[in-house]
């Protein structure tokens, strides 16, 4: 017998779609110390346009970016996961999912942080 996904499962799926879009849409974008803030805002605003997305926070890791640029002849580099810390909040049918992407052991790991009923917010 087929079971329909729960609202929490759909909310998690929606969060995964947002991360897939964010990562693959913006990976390779030229970024410099001067453009980092505007790129953060552009990514946030772009992803927030998607259905069920209620909040996106993007931080380009300036220290990592600065290190990369110090070793380069150029004044910009390509945006990759190692420069990003991201939090995405999705709400679907009363379920809130908080997801994050952070560097872990040299890899930009995306994970579900919490799933709860929207009414349980602190």
């Amino acid at each position: 017998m087929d079971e329909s996904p729960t609202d929490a499962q759909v909310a998690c799926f929606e969060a995964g779609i947002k991360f897939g879009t964010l990562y693959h849409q913006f990976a390779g974008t030229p970024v410099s110390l001067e453009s980092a803030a505007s790129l953060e805002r552009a990514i946030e605003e772009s992803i927030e346009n998607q259905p069920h997305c209620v909040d996106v926070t993007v931080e380009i890791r300036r220290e990592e970016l600065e290190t990369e640029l110090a070793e380069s002849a150029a004044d910009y580099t390509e945006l990759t996961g190692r420069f990003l810390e991201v939090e995405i909040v999705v709400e679907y049918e009363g379920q809130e999912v908080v997801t994050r992407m952070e560097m872990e052991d040299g890899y930009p790991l995306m994970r579900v942080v919490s799933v709860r009923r929207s009414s349980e917010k602190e």
Side-chain angles (χ1 to χ4, degrees):
M1 176 163 84
D2 291 336
E3 291 185 34
S4 296
T6 66
D7 290 340
Q9 290 169 330
V10 172
C12 288
F13 174 79
E14 286 291 336
I17 295 295
K18 277 54 169 167
F19 265 117
T21 300
L22 181 149
Y23 196 87
H24 293 290
Q25 179 177 351
F26 291 99
T29 300
V31 62
S32 67
L33 290 170
E34 292 77 24
S35 69
S38 64
L39 184 54
E40 288 167 340
R41 286 189 308 279
I43 294 170
E44 290 168 352
E45 291 174 7
S46 173
I47 301 305
E48 284 175 348
N49 283 325
Q50 294 185 44
H52 313 296
C53 191
V54 295
D55 190 43
V56 178
T57 304
V58 175
E59 179 185 336
I60 295 175
R61 301 170 64 213
R62 303 302 197 282
E63 188 173 297
E64 183 76 22
L65 183 59
E66 199 166 20
T67 299
E68 173 86 9
L69 293 172
E71 299 170 1
S72 171
D75 59 352
Y76 74 95
T77 190
E78 290 182 356
L79 185 67
T80 66
R82 74 180 183 276
F83 299 122
L84 291 172
E85 290 187 5
V86 180
E87 181 174 282
I88 297 175
V89 180
V90 168
E91 285 187 11
Y92 177 82
E93 298 295 324
Q95 297 291 317
E96 179 188 77
V97 174
V98 177
T99 56
R100 286 200 186 110
M101 181 175 77
E102 302 169 307
M103 290 299 291
E104 185 172 303
D105 297 327
Y107 183 78
L109 186 63
M110 300 169 200
R111 68 173 55 139
V112 174
V113 175
S114 66
V115 180
R116 63 181 173 207
R117 296 195 69 60
S118 299
S119 61
E120 295 176 10
K121 289 182 186 177
E122 298 170 9

